[in-house]
Amino acid sequence: MATTALPRTAAKGGSFLIEACRPEEIFTPADLNDDQRLIGQTAEEFVAKEVLPLAAELEQHKEGLMSSLLKKAGELGLLGGGVPEAYGGSGLDKISGTVLAEKLSSYASFAVSHGAHAGIGTLPIVYFGTEEQKKKYLPKLATGEWVACYCLSEPQAGSDAQNARTRAVLSPDGKHWILNGQKMWITNGGFADVYIVFAKVDGEKFSCFIVERGYPGFSVGAEEKKMGIKGSSTVPIFFENCRVPKENLLHEIGRGHIVAFNILNVGRFNLGAYCLGGAKKVLEAAAKYAKERTAFGKPIGTFGLVGAKLAEMAVRIYAVESMIYRSAGMIDAAMSAAGAAADKTQQLMKVLEEYAIESSISKIYGSEVLDFVVDEAVQIYGGYGFHEDYPVARAYRDSRINRIFEGTNEINRLLIIQMLMKRAMSGALPLLAAGAKLQEEIVAGPQFEEPSSGAWAEQERAVAGAKKTFLLAAGAAVQKYREQLAEQQEVVGALSNIVMEVYAMESSLRRAQKAAALRGEAAAAVMADAARAFLYDAADRVEKEARTALAAVAEGDMLRTQLAVLRRFSKREPLDTIASRRRVAAAVEAGNRYPFEGR
Ligand SMILES: Cc1cc2nc3c(=O)[nH]c(=O)nc-3n(C[C@H](O)[C@H](O)[C@H](O)COP(=O)(O)OP(=O)(O)OC[C@H]3O[C@@H](n4cnc5c(N)ncnc54)[C@H](O)[C@@H]3O)c2cc1C
């Protein structure tokens, strides 16, 4: 296998907020090796040749079609990436898994079905199954002979999943768990064979079970009438004295939340990758259309306001892509730094937990960029964008779910800060020390600053300023609310938005610098334009979010002082982002696609 250029040391999860990294320390799409590129190509061709031509029938829920496509994907090895080789999978590294997810996403309903099966449906058994459970289920799930799904949500328990009402009690003879209750919104539920079901033992202890279709007392409800991803199956599942063999308890009684949240963590990361791939495809369609469609005697792409849309779509996709591949690289670097652990899957789970903040960012940023991209694509198509005969109408409807499932974006925003605070308090991340150091710097007053020099001086200052801005706003919020900060959700949301922008800014900048060093400034000039335009606007967003948060936590002289410090951290020279975006738009239009693929 060709080697992958992984950084030698693995950065800690969340450490991007307080540490600087060098361009060569981050993984970028340019670092993908031949095998990883081949996986992407196989996945992309599979969807283009086998799935997309059947989209109309899939949208009508043609009986057996989606499950047969999943089986075909399994035969090609596209389902077993998360399954170790010992159980019939291919045990892909995280970077390969990311490429795979991205390239399967041309048809969202297939991507969602794939994620529900190969991700959240199969991985609970990979990470938490006993040897017998792994041997029984994984080989069949890896090939697609059996399809899996993940049953957490209930009619009354979505975001607060632990409020589940489904119950499990041991039968009098001690041989079966008897399940009663209902699950809701279960992707793949209409045709799956294996159901990962969460229920409370004796109505109290949240636990997880492997349930097979056909167990007595198990039944599947009718397909839900959805706004989008109509080609995927979404059904309620009913358990009426459903008899589940005792040995099908997954993990331990009362530890179901560990299964649920660790698996969602993986799901979130992958969801970002699916969104990334989907956004690139939509940009491609919009770029082609902008060239073909004429108005006032010219292709509409030649109008500045249309070009600016294409450019901004590419710029935001670039930011998401830079973050997601950087995170995937960190996960693989952490895995290789851990060495040959006896149990690689347990090791991987720990590593994924380490990067839970980055996974939530992948989910939120990926889904919101996709929503932006599909919305602008509809606008570029004009009236035809509103017509089901054109591809962007479906993409627009399909996109919307991504902000809702795998933990809503609100819940994930709250989680980012909750996880950061936990890491700060446990000492896993020296946030408090960084905050104290910043306070010293603030008290010392404005220092004589060297005038900016070098091609990236402004952007370096913007990233450093954004990191300080986070510490300033978070420090003020923690000082005021302490343990009650979680109750101030709007403040937490603003802080979370700053965290995400910091990661996006630094990842975009380092990738552009790495590309310039590798290929030369001229060859990487358009990527540099995209990075500069992104950073310039992101710095505005950071400043605004911090102002919002500070105004809520301070007042009077204290507020005035903090806003003065904020202005210092946000100071920068103007940049002609219109010119930068025009060059990005020209690159999109020249190639009719996202211009930084694999670079
Ligand atoms: C098409 C589709 C497929 C799905 N597939 C699956 C699947 O395969 N398996 C599965 O288990 N589930 C699945 N789901 C369920 C999905 O995960 C939930 O819909 C989601 O978690 C939100 O739960 P809810 O719908 O009950 O919304 P609620 O939890 O009622 O939330 C409603 C709104 O309130 C907000 N909110 C809730 N709590 C808070 C809070 N504490 N603070 C701030 N805001 C809050 C939410 O962000 C949201 O905006 C699917 C859903 C859909 C629509």
Side-chain angles (χ1 to χ4, degrees), residues 488-513:
Q488 305 297 320
Q489 287 198 347
E490 302 93 319
V491 174
V492 171
L495 295 176
S496 212
N497 287 343
I498 299 175
V499 171
M500 290 192 285
E501 296 295 359
V502 167
Y503 196 51
M505 289 167 79
E506 189 179 62
S507 306
S508 301
L509 173 59
R510 296 288 175 252
R511 177 174 170 197
Q513 291 169 322

PDB file of all heavy atoms in Angstrom, residues 488-513:
ATOM      1  N   GLN A 488     -26.996  29.205  29.833  1.00  0.00           N
ATOM      2  CA  GLN A 488     -26.985  30.397  28.963  1.00  0.00           C
ATOM      3  C   GLN A 488     -26.720  29.935  27.529  1.00  0.00           C
ATOM      4  O   GLN A 488     -25.647  30.122  26.973  1.00  0.00           O
ATOM      5  CB  GLN A 488     -25.896  31.374  29.426  1.00  0.00           C
ATOM      6  CG  GLN A 488     -26.002  31.775  30.878  1.00  0.00           C
ATOM      7  CD  GLN A 488     -27.298  32.514  31.169  1.00  0.00           C
ATOM      8  OE1 GLN A 488     -27.750  33.335  30.361  1.00  0.00           O
ATOM      9  NE2 GLN A 488     -27.913  32.232  32.306  1.00  0.00           N
ATOM     10  N   GLN A 489     -27.719  29.307  26.929  1.00  0.00           N
ATOM     11  CA  GLN A 489     -27.479  28.631  25.658  1.00  0.00           C
ATOM     12  C   GLN A 489     -27.061  29.569  24.527  1.00  0.00           C
ATOM     13  O   GLN A 489     -26.281  29.198  23.658  1.00  0.00           O
ATOM     14  CB  GLN A 489     -28.733  27.871  25.240  1.00  0.00           C
ATOM     15  CG  GLN A 489     -28.967  26.633  26.063  1.00  0.00           C
ATOM     16  CD  GLN A 489     -29.923  25.687  25.382  1.00  0.00           C
ATOM     17  OE1 GLN A 489     -30.602  26.040  24.412  1.00  0.00           O
ATOM     18  NE2 GLN A 489     -30.000  24.471  25.889  1.00  0.00           N
ATOM     19  N   GLU A 490     -27.594  30.797  24.531  1.00  0.00           N
ATOM     20  CA  GLU A 490     -27.228  31.697  23.425  1.00  0.00           C
ATOM     21  C   GLU A 490     -25.749  32.053  23.508  1.00  0.00           C
ATOM     22  O   GLU A 490     -25.070  32.180  22.489  1.00  0.00           O
ATOM     23  CB  GLU A 490     -28.069  32.977  23.466  1.00  0.00           C
ATOM     24  CG  GLU A 490     -29.572  32.746  23.394  1.00  0.00           C
ATOM     25  CD  GLU A 490     -30.210  32.662  24.777  1.00  0.00           C
ATOM     26  OE1 GLU A 490     -29.615  32.043  25.690  1.00  0.00           O
ATOM     27  OE2 GLU A 490     -31.311  33.213  24.940  1.00  0.00           O
ATOM     28  N   VAL A 491     -25.267  32.216  24.751  1.00  0.00           N
ATOM     29  CA  VAL A 491     -23.837  32.517  24.933  1.00  0.00           C
ATOM     30  C   VAL A 491     -23.001  31.310  24.491  1.00  0.00           C
ATOM     31  O   VAL A 491     -22.018  31.438  23.756  1.00  0.00           O
ATOM     32  CB  VAL A 491     -23.534  32.884  26.408  1.00  0.00           C
ATOM     33  CG1 VAL A 491     -22.032  33.051  26.628  1.00  0.00           C
ATOM     34  CG2 VAL A 491     -24.292  34.150  26.816  1.00  0.00           C
ATOM     35  N   VAL A 492     -23.446  30.130  24.924  1.00  0.00           N
ATOM     36  CA  VAL A 492     -22.731  28.901  24.545  1.00  0.00           C
ATOM     37  C   VAL A 492     -22.710  28.759  23.017  1.00  0.00           C
ATOM     38  O   VAL A 492     -21.687  28.411  22.420  1.00  0.00           O
ATOM     39  CB  VAL A 492     -23.395  27.669  25.211  1.00  0.00           C
ATOM     40  CG1 VAL A 492     -22.810  26.379  24.670  1.00  0.00           C
ATOM     41  CG2 VAL A 492     -23.227  27.738  26.725  1.00  0.00           C
ATOM     42  N   GLY A 493     -23.844  29.055  22.398  1.00  0.00           N
ATOM     43  CA  GLY A 493     -23.919  28.965  20.931  1.00  0.00           C
ATOM     44  C   GLY A 493     -22.926  29.896  20.266  1.00  0.00           C
ATOM     45  O   GLY A 493     -22.242  29.521  19.298  1.00  0.00           O
ATOM     46  N   ALA A 494     -22.810  31.125  20.793  1.00  0.00           N
ATOM     47  CA  ALA A 494     -21.868  32.092  20.208  1.00  0.00           C
ATOM     48  C   ALA A 494     -20.430  31.590  20.378  1.00  0.00           C
ATOM     49  O   ALA A 494     -19.621  31.655  19.448  1.00  0.00           O
ATOM     50  CB  ALA A 494     -22.042  33.459  20.879  1.00  0.00           C
ATOM     51  N   LEU A 495     -20.130  31.041  21.560  1.00  0.00           N
ATOM     52  CA  LEU A 495     -18.775  30.513  21.800  1.00  0.00           C
ATOM     53  C   LEU A 495     -18.476  29.345  20.861  1.00  0.00           C
ATOM     54  O   LEU A 495     -17.387  29.221  20.299  1.00  0.00           O
ATOM     55  CB  LEU A 495     -18.625  30.059  23.256  1.00  0.00           C
ATOM     56  CG  LEU A 495     -18.727  31.149  24.330  1.00  0.00           C
ATOM     57  CD1 LEU A 495     -18.644  30.530  25.729  1.00  0.00           C
ATOM     58  CD2 LEU A 495     -17.623  32.202  24.160  1.00  0.00           C
ATOM     59  N   SER A 496     -19.478  28.509  20.694  1.00  0.00           N
ATOM     60  CA  SER A 496     -19.323  27.354  19.822  1.00  0.00           C
ATOM     61  C   SER A 496     -19.051  27.804  18.381  1.00  0.00           C
ATOM     62  O   SER A 496     -18.205  27.217  17.685  1.00  0.00           O
ATOM     63  CB  SER A 496     -20.625  26.553  19.888  1.00  0.00           C
ATOM     64  OG  SER A 496     -20.369  25.218  19.729  1.00  0.00           O
ATOM     65  N   ASN A 497     -19.751  28.828  17.962  1.00  0.00           N
ATOM     66  CA  ASN A 497     -19.532  29.332  16.597  1.00  0.00           C
ATOM     67  C   ASN A 497     -18.099  29.846  16.440  1.00  0.00           C
ATOM     68  O   ASN A 497     -17.478  29.666  15.390  1.00  0.00           O
ATOM     69  CB  ASN A 497     -20.532  30.446  16.276  1.00  0.00           C
ATOM     70  CG  ASN A 497     -21.928  29.874  16.064  1.00  0.00           C
ATOM     71  OD1 ASN A 497     -22.088  28.681  15.841  1.00  0.00           O
ATOM     72  ND2 ASN A 497     -22.944  30.731  16.162  1.00  0.00           N
ATOM     73  N   ILE A 498     -17.569  30.468  17.492  1.00  0.00           N
ATOM     74  CA  ILE A 498     -16.183  30.951  17.409  1.00  0.00           C
ATOM     75  C   ILE A 498     -15.221  29.753  17.302  1.00  0.00           C
ATOM     76  O   ILE A 498     -14.305  29.755  16.474  1.00  0.00           O
ATOM     77  CB  ILE A 498     -15.819  31.821  18.635  1.00  0.00           C
ATOM     78  CG1 ILE A 498     -16.732  33.048  18.706  1.00  0.00           C
ATOM     79  CG2 ILE A 498     -14.347  32.251  18.573  1.00  0.00           C
ATOM     80  CD1 ILE A 498     -16.548  33.912  19.953  1.00  0.00           C
ATOM     81  N   VAL A 499     -15.470  28.729  18.126  1.00  0.00           N
ATOM     82  CA  VAL A 499     -14.606  27.530  18.075  1.00  0.00           C
ATOM     83  C   VAL A 499     -14.556  26.992  16.647  1.00  0.00           C
ATOM     84  O   VAL A 499     -13.484  26.702  16.097  1.00  0.00           O
ATOM     85  CB  VAL A 499     -15.141  26.428  19.029  1.00  0.00           C
ATOM     86  CG1 VAL A 499     -14.393  25.118  18.824  1.00  0.00           C
ATOM     87  CG2 VAL A 499     -15.041  26.876  20.479  1.00  0.00           C
ATOM     88  N   MET A 500     -15.734  26.872  16.034  1.00  0.00           N
ATOM     89  CA  MET A 500     -15.784  26.302  14.675  1.00  0.00           C
ATOM     90  C   MET A 500     -15.054  27.182  13.674  1.00  0.00           C
ATOM     91  O   MET A 500     -14.335  26.693  12.804  1.00  0.00           O
ATOM     92  CB  MET A 500     -17.245  26.110  14.263  1.00  0.00           C
ATOM     93  CG  MET A 500     -17.916  25.007  15.042  1.00  0.00           C
ATOM     94  SD  MET A 500     -19.495  24.540  14.342  1.00  0.00           S
ATOM     95  CE  MET A 500     -20.512  25.899  14.852  1.00  0.00           C
ATOM     96  N   GLU A 501     -15.233  28.487  13.810  1.00  0.00           N
ATOM     97  CA  GLU A 501     -14.562  29.389  12.855  1.00  0.00           C
ATOM     98  C   GLU A 501     -13.043  29.315  13.028  1.00  0.00           C
ATOM     99  O   GLU A 501     -12.308  29.371  12.045  1.00  0.00           O
ATOM    100  CB  GLU A 501     -15.045  30.837  13.038  1.00  0.00           C
ATOM    101  CG  GLU A 501     -16.514  31.078  12.731  1.00  0.00           C
ATOM    102  CD  GLU A 501     -16.914  30.854  11.272  1.00  0.00           C
ATOM    103  OE1 GLU A 501     -16.062  30.513  10.432  1.00  0.00           O
ATOM    104  OE2 GLU A 501     -18.120  31.007  10.977  1.00  0.00           O
ATOM    105  N   VAL A 502     -12.596  29.196  14.269  1.00  0.00           N
ATOM    106  CA  VAL A 502     -11.144  29.093  14.500  1.00  0.00           C
ATOM    107  C   VAL A 502     -10.598  27.869  13.763  1.00  0.00           C
ATOM    108  O   VAL A 502      -9.585  27.942  13.056  1.00  0.00           O
ATOM    109  CB  VAL A 502     -10.819  28.996  16.016  1.00  0.00           C
ATOM    110  CG1 VAL A 502      -9.369  28.578  16.234  1.00  0.00           C
ATOM    111  CG2 VAL A 502     -11.102  30.321  16.711  1.00  0.00           C
ATOM    112  N   TYR A 503     -11.296  26.741  13.924  1.00  0.00           N
ATOM    113  CA  TYR A 503     -10.816  25.510  13.284  1.00  0.00           C
ATOM    114  C   TYR A 503     -10.853  25.651  11.754  1.00  0.00           C
ATOM    115  O   TYR A 503      -9.922  25.237  11.054  1.00  0.00           O
ATOM    116  CB  TYR A 503     -11.671  24.329  13.754  1.00  0.00           C
ATOM    117  CG  TYR A 503     -11.043  22.980  13.466  1.00  0.00           C
ATOM    118  CD1 TYR A 503      -9.733  22.708  13.853  1.00  0.00           C
ATOM    119  CD2 TYR A 503     -11.754  21.970  12.820  1.00  0.00           C
ATOM    120  CE1 TYR A 503      -9.147  21.470  13.598  1.00  0.00           C
ATOM    121  CE2 TYR A 503     -11.179  20.732  12.570  1.00  0.00           C
ATOM    122  CZ  TYR A 503      -9.879  20.490  12.957  1.00  0.00           C
ATOM    123  OH  TYR A 503      -9.298  19.259  12.705  1.00  0.00           O
ATOM    124  N   ALA A 504     -11.927  26.252  11.276  1.00  0.00           N
ATOM    125  CA  ALA A 504     -12.061  26.427   9.819  1.00  0.00           C
ATOM    126  C   ALA A 504     -10.989  27.373   9.289  1.00  0.00           C
ATOM    127  O   ALA A 504     -10.373  27.123   8.240  1.00  0.00           O
ATOM    128  CB  ALA A 504     -13.463  26.959   9.490  1.00  0.00           C
ATOM    129  N   MET A 505     -10.761  28.447  10.016  1.00  0.00           N
ATOM    130  CA  MET A 505      -9.769  29.433   9.557  1.00  0.00           C
ATOM    131  C   MET A 505      -8.374  28.816   9.505  1.00  0.00           C
ATOM    132  O   MET A 505      -7.664  28.906   8.508  1.00  0.00           O
ATOM    133  CB  MET A 505      -9.743  30.646  10.516  1.00  0.00           C
ATOM    134  CG  MET A 505     -10.973  31.526  10.421  1.00  0.00           C
ATOM    135  SD  MET A 505     -11.072  32.698  11.811  1.00  0.00           S
ATOM    136  CE  MET A 505      -9.926  33.960  11.293  1.00  0.00           C
ATOM    137  N   GLU A 506      -7.992  28.178  10.614  1.00  0.00           N
ATOM    138  CA  GLU A 506      -6.621  27.654  10.659  1.00  0.00           C
ATOM    139  C   GLU A 506      -6.433  26.525   9.641  1.00  0.00           C
ATOM    140  O   GLU A 506      -5.401  26.459   8.962  1.00  0.00           O
ATOM    141  CB  GLU A 506      -6.286  27.147  12.069  1.00  0.00           C
ATOM    142  CG  GLU A 506      -4.812  26.808  12.192  1.00  0.00           C
ATOM    143  CD  GLU A 506      -4.437  26.333  13.579  1.00  0.00           C
ATOM    144  OE1 GLU A 506      -4.965  25.285  14.023  1.00  0.00           O
ATOM    145  OE2 GLU A 506      -3.632  26.996  14.223  1.00  0.00           O
ATOM    146  N   SER A 507      -7.435  25.657   9.518  1.00  0.00           N
ATOM    147  CA  SER A 507      -7.305  24.531   8.578  1.00  0.00           C
ATOM    148  C   SER A 507      -7.201  25.048   7.147  1.00  0.00           C
ATOM    149  O   SER A 507      -6.400  24.545   6.348  1.00  0.00           O
ATOM    150  CB  SER A 507      -8.506  23.589   8.713  1.00  0.00           C
ATOM    151  OG  SER A 507      -8.664  23.195  10.058  1.00  0.00           O
ATOM    152  N   SER A 508      -8.003  26.065   6.816  1.00  0.00           N
ATOM    153  CA  SER A 508      -7.977  26.630   5.454  1.00  0.00           C
ATOM    154  C   SER A 508      -6.629  27.281   5.177  1.00  0.00           C
ATOM    155  O   SER A 508      -6.058  27.128   4.088  1.00  0.00           O
ATOM    156  CB  SER A 508      -9.077  27.691   5.293  1.00  0.00           C
ATOM    157  OG  SER A 508     -10.329  27.119   5.541  1.00  0.00           O
ATOM    158  N   LEU A 509      -6.137  27.998   6.160  1.00  0.00           N
ATOM    159  CA  LEU A 509      -4.865  28.702   5.974  1.00  0.00           C
ATOM    160  C   LEU A 509      -3.704  27.719   5.823  1.00  0.00           C
ATOM    161  O   LEU A 509      -2.903  27.817   4.883  1.00  0.00           O
ATOM    162  CB  LEU A 509      -4.621  29.626   7.182  1.00  0.00           C
ATOM    163  CG  LEU A 509      -3.247  30.311   7.242  1.00  0.00           C
ATOM    164  CD1 LEU A 509      -3.004  31.179   6.010  1.00  0.00           C
ATOM    165  CD2 LEU A 509      -3.115  31.152   8.513  1.00  0.00           C
ATOM    166  N   ARG A 510      -3.624  26.763   6.733  1.00  0.00           N
ATOM    167  CA  ARG A 510      -2.481  25.830   6.692  1.00  0.00           C
ATOM    168  C   ARG A 510      -2.481  25.017   5.399  1.00  0.00           C
ATOM    169  O   ARG A 510      -1.429  24.730   4.846  1.00  0.00           O
ATOM    170  CB  ARG A 510      -2.520  24.886   7.899  1.00  0.00           C
ATOM    171  CG  ARG A 510      -2.351  25.589   9.226  1.00  0.00           C
ATOM    172  CD  ARG A 510      -0.919  26.095   9.459  1.00  0.00           C
ATOM    173  NE  ARG A 510      -0.855  26.868  10.684  1.00  0.00           N
ATOM    174  CZ  ARG A 510      -0.710  28.198  10.739  1.00  0.00           C
ATOM    175  NH1 ARG A 510      -0.559  28.900   9.627  1.00  0.00           N
ATOM    176  NH2 ARG A 510      -0.702  28.827  11.895  1.00  0.00           N
ATOM    177  N   ARG A 511      -3.663  24.649   4.940  1.00  0.00           N
ATOM    178  CA  ARG A 511      -3.710  23.870   3.688  1.00  0.00           C
ATOM    179  C   ARG A 511      -3.197  24.702   2.516  1.00  0.00           C
ATOM    180  O   ARG A 511      -2.440  24.207   1.679  1.00  0.00           O
ATOM    181  CB  ARG A 511      -5.140  23.410   3.429  1.00  0.00           C
ATOM    182  CG  ARG A 511      -5.275  22.654   2.116  1.00  0.00           C
ATOM    183  CD  ARG A 511      -6.679  22.112   1.996  1.00  0.00           C
ATOM    184  NE  ARG A 511      -6.963  21.589   0.687  1.00  0.00           N
ATOM    185  CZ  ARG A 511      -8.188  21.367   0.241  1.00  0.00           C
ATOM    186  NH1 ARG A 511      -9.222  21.610   1.026  1.00  0.00           N
ATOM    187  NH2 ARG A 511      -8.382  20.897  -0.961  1.00  0.00           N
ATOM    188  N   ALA A 512      -3.614  25.974   2.468  1.00  0.00           N
ATOM    189  CA  ALA A 512      -3.161  26.839   1.364  1.00  0.00           C
ATOM    190  C   ALA A 512      -1.654  27.043   1.446  1.00  0.00           C
ATOM    191  O   ALA A 512      -0.955  27.049   0.426  1.00  0.00           O
ATOM    192  CB  ALA A 512      -3.894  28.176   1.417  1.00  0.00           C
ATOM    193  N   GLN A 513      -1.131  27.195   2.662  1.00  0.00           N
ATOM    194  CA  GLN A 513       0.321  27.375   2.824  1.00  0.00           C
ATOM    195  C   GLN A 513       1.063  26.106   2.405  1.00  0.00           C
ATOM    196  O   GLN A 513       2.099  26.166   1.743  1.00  0.00           O
ATOM    197  CB  GLN A 513       0.652  27.703   4.290  1.00  0.00           C
ATOM    198  CG  GLN A 513       0.169  29.083   4.702  1.00  0.00           C
ATOM    199  CD  GLN A 513       0.261  29.295   6.206  1.00  0.00           C
ATOM    200  OE1 GLN A 513       0.002  28.385   6.995  1.00  0.00           O
ATOM    201  NE2 GLN A 513       0.626  30.504   6.614  1.00  0.00           N
TER     202      GLN A 513
END
